[in-house]
Every structure is written in structure tokens, then in C-alpha cells.
Amino acid sequence: MKKNLLVIARRDKAEALRMAAGLTLLDDVVQVAVIGELEDTPAIREQLELLEFAEVSVQRYDEREATAPALARDMIGADAVYVV
């Protein structure tokens, strides 16, 4: 049975994106929510490319939107939520 997994990238965004890419190997549905800005670094670009290839949804939220209703719905609908 497939699980719905949500990875919230808040502090260590490169690591959160790497974790999300790794979770796709389990054949579960993975979503990513990025809180705040993403730096333009090679590590982040590489992970975003992997997530795009794996067709993982990446939603971006401003710091003020960290309590957005859409993010709350995603959290409630997920079987597991990882905050990194």
C-alpha cells in the first residue's frame, strides 16, 4: 500500500530535498513544501533536478505562509511528515 509522505524543508533545505529524493525509492507518493527562500547552490539544484525527474510536487511558501491552509491540508493528508 502506497503512503503519502510530506517533507517540509525549513532549516536545512538541501538535506530535506535529498531526503525527499531518497524517499521516492520506496515507490510512495512524496511531496515537498519549502518554507522560505531556496539558495542557488549546486547541491540544491541537483536535488531539485532529481525531484523534477521523479515528478515530485515541490510547493514553495513564504515565511509568512508557514501556517497556510494549503500546507495544513497537506500535513493532515500525509501518512508521515518530516520537518528538516
Side-chain angles (χ1 to χ4, degrees):
M1 178 179 201
K2 286 190 177 189
K3 294 179 183 171
N4 291 315
L5 307 175
L6 175 63
V7 178
I8 299 177
R10 186 171 188 97
R11 299 200 193 292
D12 190 349
K13 294 179 175 83
E15 177 64 13
L17 297 174
R18 187 196 64 76
M19 284 177 53
L23 288 170
T24 62
L25 298 174
L26 299 173
D27 201 31
D28 291 325
V29 177
V30 179
Q31 292 180 287
V32 177
V34 177
I35 308 295
E37 295 294 319
L38 275 177
E39 295 177 11
D40 187 21
T41 65
I44 288 180
R45 282 193 304 269
E46 179 182 3
Q47 297 308 320
L48 287 173
E49 285 179 24
L50 286 170
L51 292 171
E52 183 180 349
F53 178 77
E55 298 178 353
V56 171
S57 170
V58 178
Q59 296 293 324
R60 297 186 185 191
Y61 296 93
D62 186 281
E63 283 287 338
R64 297 178 306 252
E65 296 176 315
T67 58
L71 179 56
R73 277 192 300 277
D74 289 344
M75 291 174 72
I76 290 170
D79 294 310
V81 178
Y82 302 94
V83 181
V84 182

